Structure formats: structure tokens, C-alpha cells
Amino acid sequence: MVAQQRRSLWGELLLLFNLLWWLWGSEAGQIRYSIPEELDKGSFVGNIAKDLGLEPRELAERGVRIVSRGRSQLFSLNPRGGSLVTAGRIDREELCAQSAPCFVSFNILVEDRLKLFGIEIEVTDVNDNAPQFQAETLDVKINENVASGMRFPLLEAIDPDVGVNSLQSYQLSPNKHFSLVVQSRANGVKYPELVLEHALDREEEAIHHLVLVASDGGNPPRSGTALITVTVFDTNDNAPVFTSPEYRVNIPENLPVGTQLLKVTATDKDEGANGEVMYSFRKLLDTQLLKFQLDKNTGEIKISENLDYEEMSFYEIEIQAEDGGAYLATAKVLITVEDVNDNSPEVTITSLFSPVAEDSPAGTVIALLNVHDLDSGQNGEVTCTISGNLPFKLEKSIDSYYRLVTQRALDREQVSSYSITATATDGGNPPLSSNVHFTLQVADINDNPPTFSHISYFTYIPENNPRGASVFSLTALDPDSKENAQIVYSLAEDTIEGAPLSSYISINSDTGVLYALCSFDYEQFRELRVQVTASDSGKPPLSSNASLTLFVLDQNDNSPEILYPTPPTDGSTGVELAPRSAEPGYLVTKVVAVDRDSGQNAWLSYRLLKASEPGLFSVGLHTGEVRTARALLEREALRQSLVVAVQDHGQPPLSATVTLTVAVADSIPDVLADLGNLETSQDSETSSLTLYLVVAVAAVSCVFLAFVIVLLALKLRRWHKSHALQSSRDGLGGVPASHYVGVDGVRAFLQTYSHEVSLTADSRKSHLIFPQPNYADTLISQESCEKKDPLSLLDDSKCPVEDAPLVPVSVDFTFSLNNYGQIYI
């Protein structure tokens, strides 16, 4: 019951302290709490969420965390309740020793706002330590002739607690010779002195046993005891005396081990054993005892371990000098350790926000740095800088924190990452420094549109291109990264001759390659203008445009078109008049033609392809004018037929022909009269012409038959000598199948021969060209009539130039040879 009431009382006191300290901290700009020491792990310290103006759930969302250095984490955050709790058992004496009050300071960082809040917690003392003497037995040596009132200093008890919980009083067990007096030093430490009240007699009692009790002022109070053994010696009337009651020395912390700090000296006027002085440490903690070494004979004090200013800067040592008798003397040695610049400053990254958007405004916090130096004074004054011409600067924050903020605008396309070196330098001589390196990535934003290398492009494509042919490739570049640099190509909507542009040309949205969707016709349109848009995939997307002009190149795909003379619609041939009195060079007519192509594909040339009367007419090469080449004679035929070819200069060239009929007469009535006479004479000569034709064909056929018979006879004779009849049949198997016909099991060899026979009413003018293949729709040039070796019916090797017109007749003969050597026509 008593324990519960005590625990309740402590809880109420804790809440009261927290309230008072919070009010004080709010006014001072810091958050302050107060807790007693020795609380269990997880004990409530304060409602940090409320004091920060946050909800408990926001502690994790905003990245609220504790940042501290130099000691283990004593406190932690409870994200559920939003409270600050203890992370373990807290011992005030371990943290602050005898210092009062005892404060623990750290910072709380709100990550998303990069704001630091100072937290200061006072750890109050509880009476958890009893006073304790350094030794359980205290030895006091006294000469028997010491006068009453003599005081003998005793070792004081040590209580780590402070305030009322610290050492408050000493009590001595009842006896008849000694009393106890409590003294206080300048620093407030109480120590006991044993006072001789009545003279001693060694022979009566050589050793006295006393009990010394040290008590604190806690509730309940605690105490510690020590046994005092007083040994009575024979007479020794002089005590040792130090040359100085207090020795002071200042030493740097980097003195090597073994260095002599100072030498204490005490003298005793006695002689012999009573005058020999021995030195020893009277009051020294175990941790301090390892640091120094005292020569008991000479009084020299040396360093036995390395000193560290940052660990302890001041030592107070009490040394006693004892003679061979019962007397002793004490002196203090005050050692001040001076700081030297032996610790390099440390710089740590508390928070780093990477990557940072390139459009971050000036003053955006990038990182939070903490600098620390274990040295003190000027040696512990640390400045932090960053090297290089960087768009950042350091700003001093609270305590030893620095904020790294942007100084000007960033551009990822120029610099995508920064290697930053933060240097911490102390104020020592020479100064020491340390570095920390980190890399800051710059996050891309869509601030650059895709760009083409040119505003406009030109390309060429020949007409009649295949569908799907690649026309051109455009490439745009975007200096952004990832999706901000993914480019999509498209064509602006447009119409060409009423049809959408998308029916003529398309573009690959990923590669920018343009394809023709149809075959272009130069005669339909000669150029195509399109606008290409390149858009990135950013949010929002950016785009740029470029124009492409596609020129269609002409190909020779159109034959010349004859405009004059126009072909009659009734199937007749138009007639041009040429008077018989016309002089050479007389313009009979003019052939007019055009070509839909352009350039040299449209350059036309004219030539006379065929004429019924060679040499009578000529055609202008470039003009198409038909003129008489010589004077007309009376024997010239009335009707002259001319075939004029018009050809372009393309590759390959294309051509067209037109047939002209020229009537040789002075007037239309003359033309009609001459045509009547011509028909009468032709009827009378028809029988003679037929006779000549039959005779010529029969003669040629006989000669050919005789040749074939002789050839076959020779072949058959050779076959009979070397092969049997069956082998002869197999020999004919090599002849192409198209040259054989089979009738009733008899295979016949077929060969077709074609001959052109030209006959006139005058048999002297008739001639036979042999052999001459006759192909349909083939124009016979004038040169074919002038061959040197035709098979002619007359000795005249020239083409006829008389009035009688030539009548072309084609005669085909088919010969067949069966297996028995019989020939069939």
C-alpha cells in the first residue's frame, strides 16, 4: 500500500514537472521535459506529437525522428500514442556525475519539412545510491603524547546523488576519547575529522575501534559505514609538512606516457625513522588511479596512461605524506588538462533528399548536415563548407546543423548529377578537417520539347513508286530522359485534291520513317507538303513541328499523244492533198503530238517509218512537218500512204504512229476521176497478176521439196546403216513436241515457212523476198526494201518506183514428213 502511494506521488510529481518544463520550454523556443532517473524502459516522458502540433499518426507520415550524437539513444518515439518514451534505464549519475541540474539534449527532425526542434530533458535525482567509503577500514595512527583537541582528517564518504539525496551527515560511535567534527571544502564536499578529546595512553589501550556512519538526506535515508582503527604509537612530536598545501599544474592532453608532471615535497623535522616521509595517494578514484603514478619515496607524479581532454579535463588528487611515526600531512594536487587540437571534426549527413527536381526553386533544402568536434574552445569551433562552383550553399541551422540549399536554378540537361564534398574545418592551429562525399541526382521534368535539326526538309521520289516504299526519315531529339524523351511522330491532318493526306502517306510513330501508301503520279501532282509533329510522352507533353516537301520525279510512263491528224470516228483515213505541180519542200501537212511527261521525257522527234513511195516525202525531225522530198511525176500513184512515228527521249523511249493518206492531185475532182480509172485497170490486170503469183509459188515450192527429199534420203541411209528402225524412231524423239502431229499412229514432222511476195500489175516489177518472217503489226522500214540480196523475179535489185502499186501477199507452206519418208503439203 505504501509502495502504491509512493508510486502515485511520483507520477503526480512527474506530470507537474513536465507541465512546468513545457511551459518554460515554449517561452524559450525549446521543448523541455523533466523525468526522474531509474524509470523503466518505455516510460512516458511527454506528448511530443501535441507539442509539435501534429497528430500521432503524422509522426510516421512526416518522418519525425530523433537525431543525436555522442551517446546511445536514451529516448524513442511511440508512433501510436505520439509520445516520447524512455529507450532504457537512465542513470543520472552515469550521465552527469555530480553536476546538478542534469540535462539531456537532442533534436527531433521533421523530415518532410526538414525542420529541427530542440528537446531538453532534465533528469532529476532519486535517492538510489547510499554513501560509501572508499575503504571499509580507516587506519589512524596517533602518538600517545598528542594533546587533546588534535584533529585527524578522515576519508569522506562518496554519494553520487545530488541535492538532499547526497551525503548530509557523519556520526561516530560513542567512545570516551574521540569526537567527530564535519568540515566542508570550497566545492561543498563534507569530510569528517576525528578530534582527540582525552589524552591517550598506549600502555592502557594500544588500539581503539570506532564506527563511522555517513548518511544522506533522502527519503528514506541511506547510509554507509566504515571501521576506524586507531593505533597509538610512542612519542613522535613532529608531523611532515608539505612545501605547499596545494599544487597546481597545467598540462596538454597529448603528453606521452611516463612524462613527469610535478614533484611534491614534504619535510619532517624529526630524525631517524620518525623523519622519513612516505608519499601515497589519499583520495583517488579507481579510474584516476590508473592515469597517474606516484613515487612513494620521491613524490614524483608521472603519467601512466594517455590523457584525453574530452574524457576528463580536470583532476583533483589528494596526497598524504606520512613519517615513520604516527604523523601525516595532506596536500592537494590540481591537474588541469589543456585541450590540443587532436581530434578532427566530423561531418555526417542527417538527411539527404535525392533526387531533386530540376525545377526546384532557389532555397530548396537538399540535405541536413551535422558537424561535431570533440575538442573544445577554438579547437572545437567547426565551420562547414562545400567545394566547387556548385549551385548550392550552406546555411547555419540550430546547434551544429547546416542546411544545404539550392542557390540557383538547376538544369538536368546540362548537369544530371552533382558530386558534392562537404568539408568540416576546426579552428585549431594547425586546423584539422574531414570530408564527406555524396552524390545528388537531378530528377528530370518535361521542360524541353523535341527538336528537329531543320525547320524544313526536302526529298525526292520517282513516280510510280511501289506502295509501302520508304520515302524519308525524320529524327527529333529530346534532351530530357525516360518518358519525357520518348518521341511520338505524327502527321498534321490535311487534304490533297479532296482526299485526306493519310491516304497518300503515313509515318511510323516510333521511328519517324515516312511510307508511301499509294503510287504517286507526276501528272497528278508534282509535290506534296506535309507537316510532321514530334511529341514527347511527358505530362504535359511538348511538341515541335517540321515541314517536309516531297517532290515527285517524272518517269517516262506516257506515250506521245497525236493531236493531228485526228483519227476519224468512222474508221476511214483522212486524206491530205498534194498537187502534182508541188515543188520539193512543199508542206503537205503537219503531225502534231504532245507528251504528258516533262523534261526530256516530253521531247518529241518525228520520223517517217514507212511510205508507199520511198523518197517521195520527208518528215521534219522536230517539227513533224510532212514535205515533198522531190518533184512529183506523172507516173506517181494517186494514193500515197505514209506511216509517221513520234518518239520521246525517255529511258526507255515510248512512241506512237499515225498513218497519213496523201492524194496526189491538183483538186478533189481530179482525185475522184483518177480513182475511177485505177479501178478499171486493176480489174483487167487481176488475172495476169494471179497467174504470176501461182507460177512463183509453184517454183519456190518445187525447189524446196527437192531439197528436203535429198536431205531426208541422206539421213535415212545413214540411219539404216547404224541403227535399227526403232532407234530411228527414238532419234525423232528429240524434236520438240510442238513440231509433231500424230494421225493413226503415224508421227509427222511439221515445219512452217512464211514468205513475203510483192506483186504488181507489171510482172517485171514483182519480186519475192525469201526467206522473210512475217510478224503481225511490224512496220517494214525503207531500208528493208533496199537489201542487196533479195530473191527477186527480175534482175532489178532496187525497189520498184513505177506507177504500179505493190500488193503484198503472204503465202504460208506447211510440210510434213512421216516415218516412211512421205512428204505432205
Side-chain angles (χ1 to χ4, degrees):
M1 184 69 180
V2 175
Q4 292 180 352
Q5 292 178 353
R6 186 176 300 169
R7 191 176 298 108
S8 175
L9 178 62
W10 276 115
E12 293 177 358
L13 290 175
L14 174 63
L15 291 177
L16 179 61
F17 283 145
N18 286 340
L19 179 61
L20 293 176
W21 280 107
W22 183 81
L23 292 174
W24 181 36
S26 300
E27 296 176 358
Q30 274 190 326
I31 300 175
R32 290 184 171 88
Y33 301 105
S34 177
I35 61 171
E37 64 173 333
E38 303 296 337
L39 288 178
D40 294 333
K41 180 180 179 181
S43 298
F44 177 83
V45 177
N47 191 344
I48 191 66
K50 180 180 179 181
D51 296 338
L52 294 177
L54 303 174
E55 294 295 329
R57 58 179 176 80
E58 293 183 292
L59 292 182
E61 295 175 358
R62 294 181 175 271
V64 178
R65 59 188 175 93
I66 297 175
V67 289
S68 64
R69 61 175 298 116
R71 58 162 57 98
S72 59
Q73 197 69 266
L74 299 178
F75 302 93
S76 62
L77 295 174
N78 182 0
R80 292 185 178 180
S83 59
L84 183 68
V85 297
T86 58
R89 174 181 169 275
I90 299 177
D91 187 357
R92 192 205 66 82
E93 290 74 32
E94 182 180 346
L95 292 175
C96 303
Q98 297 296 113
S99 299
C102 178
F103 291 101
V104 177
S105 299
F106 56 89
N107 295 298
I108 286 186
L109 172 66
V110 181
E111 189 82 30
D112 64 339
R113 292 183 295 182
L114 205 65
K115 190 172 182 180
L116 285 169
F117 293 89
I119 306 297
E120 190 173 72
I121 298 177
E122 181 186 14
V123 181
T124 59
D125 184 52
V126 298
N127 193 23
D128 57 339
N129 294 284
Q132 186 177 2
F133 291 94
Q134 291 186 10
E136 295 181 357
T137 301
L138 304 179
D139 292 328
V140 178
K141 297 176 182 181
I142 305 176
N143 289 325
E144 62 178 341
N145 61 347
V146 172
S148 299
M150 185 70 178
R151 296 186 178 191
F152 299 91
L154 300 177
L155 287 176
E156 70 268 19
I158 297 176
D159 192 338
D161 295 326
V162 294
V164 295
N165 296 325
S166 64
L167 179 65
Q168 297 295 323
S169 63
Y170 291 94
Q171 289 180 352
L172 187 65
S173 60
N175 63 91
K176 62 179 181 179
H177 292 284
F178 298 97
S179 63
L180 190 66
V181 176
V182 179
Q183 301 288 345
S184 296
R185 294 192 176 95
N187 58 1
V189 177
K190 297 179 180 181
Y191 66 94
E193 287 185 347
L194 191 63
V195 180
L196 182 62
E197 295 291 343
H198 301 284
L200 299 175
D201 186 356
R202 190 189 69 82
E203 290 72 21
E204 180 182 348
E205 189 175 1
I207 298 177
H208 299 266
H209 296 284
L210 306 175
V211 176
L212 180 62
V213 178
S215 302
D216 59 23
N219 185 17
R222 293 175 177 268
S223 63
T225 60
L227 180 61
I228 302 175
T229 302
V230 179
T231 304
V232 181
F233 286 92
D234 284 337
T235 303
N236 182 15
D237 55 352
N238 290 293
V241 178
F242 281 96
T243 57
S244 174
E246 187 176 271
Y247 296 86
R248 293 180 178 271
V249 62
N250 296 337
I251 59 173
E253 61 176 327
N254 59 350
L255 284 180
V257 175
T259 302
Q260 179 179 330
L261 301 182
L262 77 160
K263 181 179 180 180
V264 294
T265 304
T267 59
D268 192 325
K269 296 181 179 180
D270 294 327
E271 293 182 355
N274 293 330
E276 293 178 358
V277 179
M278 302 293 290
Y279 302 95
S280 62
F281 290 121
R282 177 177 175 83
K283 176 187 175 183
L284 192 66
L285 299 176
D286 293 339
T287 55
Q288 300 176 356
L289 188 61
L290 300 176
K291 297 289 184 181
F292 305 100
Q293 177 183 354
L294 175 62
D295 190 320
K296 64 180 182 178
N297 296 317
T298 63
E300 293 179 352
I301 300 176
K302 297 182 180 180
I303 298 175
S304 57
E305 281 189 359
N306 289 323
L307 302 179
D308 190 353
Y309 173 86
E310 290 71 34
E311 180 181 342
M312 183 170 288
S313 61
F314 179 77
Y315 294 91
E316 180 178 346
I317 302 174
E318 189 169 351
I319 298 177
Q320 70 178 11
E322 185 177 1
D323 59 16
Y327 294 110
L328 56 85
T330 61
K332 290 183 179 180
V333 177
L334 306 178
I335 302 175
T336 302
V337 181
E338 295 180 347
D339 183 43
V340 297
N341 195 23
D342 58 341
N343 292 284
S344 297
E346 298 178 4
V347 54
T348 56
I349 301 173
T350 303
S351 295
L352 175 63
F353 298 93
S354 179
V356 59
E358 60 178 325
D359 61 343
S360 299
T364 300
V365 179
I366 304 301
L368 188 66
L369 307 178
N370 177 259
V371 294
H372 179 70
D373 196 323
L374 294 176
D375 296 325
S376 64
Q378 187 175 356
N379 295 331
E381 294 179 359
V382 183
T383 58
C384 189
T385 58
I386 57 173
S387 59
N389 184 20
L390 300 176
F392 309 105
K393 65 178 180 178
L394 285 172
E395 293 180 351
K396 190 72 170 65
S397 184
I398 64 173
D399 296 339
S400 56
Y401 287 91
Y402 285 85
R403 296 188 305 169
L404 181 65
V405 299
T406 57
Q407 193 172 12
R408 58 179 184 270
L410 306 178
D411 190 351
R412 191 206 64 85
E413 287 69 40
Q414 293 184 0
V415 182
S416 60
S417 64
Y418 292 90
S419 180
I420 302 174
T421 300
T423 302
T425 306
D426 61 24
N429 187 16
L432 301 178
S433 63
S434 62
N435 301 322
V436 62
H437 306 275
F438 59 95
T439 300
L440 176 66
Q441 301 292 337
V442 181
D444 183 51
I445 64 168
N446 194 25
D447 58 343
N448 292 281
T451 56
F452 293 94
S453 57
H454 299 87
I455 300 178
S456 59
Y457 296 85
F458 304 91
T459 188
Y460 301 88
I461 183 172
E463 65 174 332
N464 304 321
N465 57 283
R467 294 182 61 186
S470 175
V471 176
F472 194 68
S473 177
L474 287 88
T475 301
L477 299 178
D478 194 324
D480 293 326
S481 65
K482 297 181 180 179
E483 65 276 1
N484 295 331
Q486 294 178 357
I487 300 176
V488 178
Y489 299 91
S490 61
L491 297 177
E493 294 293 334
D494 198 0
T495 57
I496 300 177
E497 297 184 354
L501 176 65
S502 58
S503 63
Y504 289 93
I505 196 168
S506 68
I507 189 170
N508 188 308
S509 61
D510 296 325
T511 62
V513 178
L514 287 94
Y515 298 94
L517 299 181
C518 62
S519 181
F520 296 142
D521 187 357
Y522 176 82
E523 288 70 37
Q524 182 181 2
F525 56 83
R526 300 187 177 184
E527 66 178 40
L528 188 67
R529 297 181 182 272
V530 298
Q531 185 175 10
V532 180
T533 301
S535 303
D536 57 29
S537 302
K539 293 182 181 181
L542 302 178
S543 62
S544 62
N545 301 321
S547 63
L548 171 65
T549 304
L550 178 65
F551 293 99
V552 181
L553 299 179
D554 183 45
Q555 299 289 308
N556 193 26
D557 58 341
N558 293 284
S559 300
E561 181 181 354
I562 297 179
L563 301 179
Y564 183 85
T566 58
T569 58
D570 57 358
S572 61
T573 304
V575 178
E576 303 289 342
L577 291 178
R580 292 186 177 275
S581 60
E583 297 293 331
Y586 175 78
L587 177 62
V588 177
T589 185
K590 182 177 182 179
V591 178
V592 179
V594 295
D595 196 319
R596 295 175 62 191
D597 295 324
S598 64
Q600 67 177 14
N601 296 329
W603 295 352
L604 302 180
S605 60
Y606 304 82
R607 64 186 178 91
L608 184 60
L609 187 63
K610 187 176 182 180
S612 57
E613 189 69 31
L616 181 58
F617 296 98
S618 64
V619 178
L621 179 64
H622 301 295
T623 62
E625 295 177 347
V626 180
R627 297 180 181 272
T628 57
R630 57 178 174 78
L632 300 176
L633 303 179
E634 290 297 331
R635 60 183 178 82
E636 303 290 355
L638 172 63
R639 182 178 178 181
Q640 299 290 333
S641 179
L642 306 177
V643 179
V644 178
V646 183
Q647 179 175 295
D648 59 26
H649 286 71
Q651 293 296 331
L654 301 178
S655 62
T657 60
V658 62
T659 302
L660 302 177
T661 300
V662 180
V664 180
D666 292 329
S667 62
I668 299 299
D670 294 341
V671 174
L672 299 176
D674 291 342
L675 289 175
N677 296 334
L678 180 59
E679 292 177 359
T680 303
S681 61
Q682 286 181 354
D683 293 337
S684 62
E685 294 176 355
T686 301
S687 59
S688 299
L689 180 61
T690 303
L691 178 61
Y692 292 141
L693 177 61
V694 172
V695 172
V697 171
V700 172
S701 300
C702 290
V703 173
F704 178 71
L705 289 174
F707 173 74
V708 172
I709 291 171
V710 172
L711 180 61
L712 292 177
L714 292 175
K715 296 291 287 185
L716 289 173
R717 183 178 181 185
R718 184 177 302 171
W719 286 344
H720 281 294
K721 288 182 180 181
S722 58
H723 302 284
L725 179 61
Q726 183 62 33
S727 62
S728 65
R729 292 178 182 176
D730 296 338
L732 290 176
V735 181
S738 61
H739 293 172
Y740 287 86
V741 296
V743 181
D744 298 331
V746 179
R747 300 176 67 191
F749 174 81
L750 301 181
Q751 180 66 45
T752 300
Y753 295 88
S754 179
H755 307 282
E756 182 178 337
V757 180
S758 298
L759 303 178
T760 65
D762 187 356
S763 61
R764 296 174 302 160
K765 305 299 189 292
S766 301
H767 67 282
L768 175 64
I769 301 175
F770 174 84
Q772 175 66 43
N774 184 19
Y775 303 100
D777 299 331
T778 303
L779 299 178
I780 307 300
S781 63
Q782 182 178 355
E783 289 78 2
S784 65
C785 298
E786 296 178 356
K787 292 183 178 180
K788 299 298 183 178
D789 300 323
L791 180 59
S792 179
L793 299 178
L794 298 176
D795 295 337
D796 189 2
S797 62
K798 298 181 178 180
C799 292
V801 293
E802 301 297 335
D803 298 337
L806 292 176
V807 181
V809 179
S810 297
V811 181
D812 295 337
F813 297 94
T814 303
F815 301 92
S816 62
L817 175 64
N818 61 15
N819 293 336
Y820 302 99
Q822 297 175 336
I823 301 174
Y824 299 90
I825 301 177

